[in-house]
């Protein structure tokens, strides 16, 4: 088999090839490294590569295969990791200058779990600084470009993850989604991304942005790949108290089940007059396909949808202002201790130099919203409207099994188009943020194109019912 | 909506040193975002509970016991410290 063909494979295909000795793990890893060396100078997905380590690990897998030992499904499969995950012994910065040089002494739980399965890490990939953005333009490492049009963004915040999978530089990626950060870049790059139920996957060891909304999930080439990765990383973790002891389903096996008779809701608020005609047409086509496959389609209403972005941009900055307090120039990362005359100046100067504009903007916004006299008007109000948004979802899920909606208002936008208008950038999350506020899972599946640019559809499910949305997604991609 | 004085006050609370230019820009940007989120005021939330944990977990606590931290772990944690002395983070004088 030729090297260039190896990066085409799905996880299952690669696993079979390794097992049958059609190629070695070292060849599989080297073929991905070759693609990275060729393509990434244009794309800029990787912020750090760990090729030597990857080759070393591949050799270990090969010796296991040679000895006739059984290998796991993810064993020997090359992966990229978003830079906000702590990776033991590998610099982890969340694409921020304030964490430059930070080498974590431990692995995030999700990273540990795939490593135990034998995953091979190729490196860390780009994100908006601390995942705050929708384009990777706030990254300290510069923007990750879209392989379908290098003048456009790959989306964000998990732009590096999506681009690395789309350009076949990694077979899958671990990423995070707080308001759309997995689903939007997956849609922009033409790959599959899953935002899990809040608490389905441990957040331990992933740098927090908004703790009540952050989720960890996979980006892959297909729904099947995503199901395999989810099975490996899901479940209770004693180090994350928000992960309940709810059974992890056999997602891969469930994919094969029929979707005939499933009730799918179409939330009418997502299809109002503001939706672009192209996105509407593509989403309607997907709805028709589900109908043809025997699903029952029903129009439903999520009446508080129009308040979601306002709620999101109070809750998120508020939680950020608290989470970012740990970056103080004392414990790790960038420190202005030479210039500072006292402790206070270490804080104010380290943070001034270490953080970028968007992080500062959100810290300021959150500090304001939580400050004396404003708490009731902003934070408490937003948390109450969050309840109403969640109740909207609870109510529709009494009568439907899943929802279908667009992922984004349009295809990948041009680099520089939104970066000077924070509010416009925030409105990118209009179809994705409500899902995080309700804590439910949602899958972004590539569906259709506008000109040459991929877009996706979103399948939203009930709490901890990832298996149903994966099953629907798997039928849609066929 | 916001004044430059308010922005300076928030920056102080947030432990951020801002340049004059940053302060001015933030007055405009924060005012515009706060103007947008003002639409929440039109929602009637009388008697609505807040949602801070979305999947219905109540309290999830571990046993209140001290776990031993190995000296190796302490060393690991301090590896990233900008300044340290023995087993401690070193800071500048407070005043």
């Amino acid at each position: 088999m030729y090297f260039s063909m190896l990066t085409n494979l799905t996880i299952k295909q690669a696993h079979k090839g390794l097992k049958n000795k059609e190629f070695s793990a070292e060849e599989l890893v080297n073929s991905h490294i070759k693609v990275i060396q060729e393509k990434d100078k244009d794309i800029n997905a990787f912020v750090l590569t760990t090729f030597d380590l990857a080759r070393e690990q591949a050799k270990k897998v090969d010796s296991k295969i040679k000895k006739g030992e059984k290998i796991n499904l993810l064993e020997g499969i090359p992966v990229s990791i978003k830079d906000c995950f702590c990776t033991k012994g590998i610099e982890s910065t969340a694409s921020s200058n304030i964490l430059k040089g930070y080498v974590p002494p431990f692995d995030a739980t999700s990273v540990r779990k795939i490593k135990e399965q034998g995953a091979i890490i190729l490196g860390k990939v780009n994100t908006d600084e601390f995942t705050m953005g929708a384009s990777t333009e706030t990254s300290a490492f510069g923007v990750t470009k879209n392989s379908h049009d290098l003048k456009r963004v790959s989306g964000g915040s998990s732009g590096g993850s999506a681009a690395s999978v789309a350009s076949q530089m990694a077979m899958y990626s671990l990423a995070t989604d707080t308001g759309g950060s997995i689903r939007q870049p997956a849609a922009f790059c033409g790959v599959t991304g899953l935002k899990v139920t809040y608490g389905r996957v441990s957040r331990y060891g992933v740098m927090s942005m908004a703790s009540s909304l952050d989720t960890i999930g996979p980006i892959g080439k297909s729904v099947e790949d995503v199901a395999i990765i989810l099975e490996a990383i899901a479940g209770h973790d004693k180090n994350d108290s928000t992960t309940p002891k709810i059974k992890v389903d056999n997602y891969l096996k469930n994919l094969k089940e029929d979707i005939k008779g499933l009730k799918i809701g179409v939330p009418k608020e997502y299809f109002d007059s503001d939706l672009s005609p192209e996105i509407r047409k593509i989403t309607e086509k997907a709805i028709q396909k589900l109908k043809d496959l025997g699903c029952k389609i029903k129009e439903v209403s999520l009446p508080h949808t129009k308040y979601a972005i306002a709620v999101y941009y109070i809750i998120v900055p508020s939680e950020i202002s608290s989470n970012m307090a740990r970056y103080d120039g004392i414990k790790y990362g960038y420190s202005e201790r030479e210039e500072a005359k006292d402790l206070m100046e270490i804080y104010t100067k380290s943070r001034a130099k270490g953080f970028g504009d968007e992080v500062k903007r959100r810290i300021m916004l959150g500090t304001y919203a939580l400050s004396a006299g404003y708490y009731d008007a902003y934070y408490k109000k937003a948390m109450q409207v969050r309840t109403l948004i969640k109740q909207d979802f609870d109510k529709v899920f009494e009568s439907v099994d899943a929802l279908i909606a667009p992922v984004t208002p349009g295809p990948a936008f041009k680099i520089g188009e939104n970066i000077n208008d924070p509010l416009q950038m925030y409105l990118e999350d209009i179809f994705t943020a409500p899902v995080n506020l309700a804590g439910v899972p949602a899958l972004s599946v590539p569906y259709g194109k506008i000109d040459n640019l991929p877009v996706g559809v979103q399948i939203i499910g009930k709490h901890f019912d990832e298996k149903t949305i994966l099953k629907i997604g798997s039928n849609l991609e066929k | 909506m916001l004044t430059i004085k308010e922005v300076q006050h928030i920056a102080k609370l947030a432990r951020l040193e801002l340049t004059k230019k940053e302060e001015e820009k933030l007055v405009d940007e924060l005012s515009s975002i706060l103007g947008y989120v003002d639409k929440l005021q039109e929602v009637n939330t009388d008697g609505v509970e807040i949602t801070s944990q979305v999947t219905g977990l109540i309290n999830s606590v571990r046993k209140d016991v001290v776990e031993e931290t190995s000296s190796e772990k302490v060393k690991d944690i301090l590896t990233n410290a900008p300044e340290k002395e023995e087993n401690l983070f070193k800071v500048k004088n407070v005043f």
Side-chain angles (χ1 to χ4, degrees), chain A residues 239-375:
Chain A
N239 289 326
D240 178 355
S241 63
T242 61
T243 53
K245 285 176 182 158
I246 290 175
K247 186 181 148 265
V248 175
D249 288 304
N250 188 333
Y251 302 107
L252 190 57
K253 205 171 131 201
N254 285 325
L255 283 188
K256 293 193 189 100
E257 287 170 16
D258 207 356
I259 60 164
K260 213 170 152 182
L262 278 185
K263 291 191 275 303
I264 315 266
V266 179
K268 64 174 186 202
E269 288 78 8
Y270 287 54
F271 293 84
D272 69 8
S273 52
D274 288 343
L275 185 64
S276 84
E278 294 97 337
I279 295 279
R280 178 190 300 271
K281 219 172 115 190
I282 286 167
T283 316
E284 279 169 356
K285 255 180 142 172
I287 294 169
Q288 185 57 45
K289 183 161 181 187
L290 292 179
K291 214 186 231 173
D292 294 343
L293 289 165
C295 295
K296 291 188 188 116
I297 307 296
K298 186 186 167 190
E299 190 186 87
V300 294
S301 174
L302 299 166
H304 294 91
T305 300
K306 64 177 172 197
Y307 301 111
I309 294 295
V311 169
Y312 185 83
Y313 278 98
I314 288 300
I315 293 177
V316 168
S318 297
E319 295 185 10
I320 283 170
S321 74
S322 157
N323 272 327
M324 293 295 127
R326 76 191 64 181
Y327 304 105
D328 57 4
I330 305 288
K331 300 186 288 290
Y332 34 63
Y334 183 77
S335 182
E336 270 286 331
R337 64 194 187 287
E338 307 294 336
E339 309 294 316
K341 65 175 192 307
D342 57 19
L343 183 63
M344 181 62 107
E345 276 199 7
I346 293 189
Y347 300 153
T348 57
K349 287 185 189 296
S350 302
R351 289 160 67 80
K353 275 212 165 167
F355 289 139
D357 287 347
E358 179 62 18
V359 178
K360 287 181 190 168
R361 195 179 294 128
R362 293 195 191 193
I363 290 173
M364 290 290 287
L365 192 56
T367 307
Y368 179 76
L370 293 176
S371 63
Y374 295 104
Y375 175 84

Side-chain angles (χ1 to χ4, degrees), chain A residues 103 241 306-307 330 332 337 340 343-344 348-349 351-352 360-361 364 377 381 383-384 387 390 438, chain B residues 6-7 10 14-15 17 22 29 39-43 45 48-49 51 54 60 80 82-83 92-93:
Chain A
V103 180
S241 63
K306 64 177 172 197
Y307 301 111
I330 305 288
Y332 34 63
R337 64 194 187 287
L343 183 63
M344 181 62 107
T348 57
K349 287 185 189 296
R351 289 160 67 80
K360 287 181 190 168
R361 195 179 294 128
M364 290 290 287
K381 185 81 183 177
M383 296 288 266
Q384 286 175 313
T387 302
K390 183 186 172 281
Chain B
E6 280 175 296
V7 165
I10 305 160
R15 305 289 187 260
E17 185 181 277
E22 280 179 316
E29 286 172 348
K39 69 154 114 181
L40 292 182
Q41 301 310 325
E42 69 190 51
V43 189
T45 51
V48 177
E49 293 286 324
T51 294
V54 77
S60 171
N80 285 292
E83 212 173 350
K92 278 209 189 314
N93 52 314

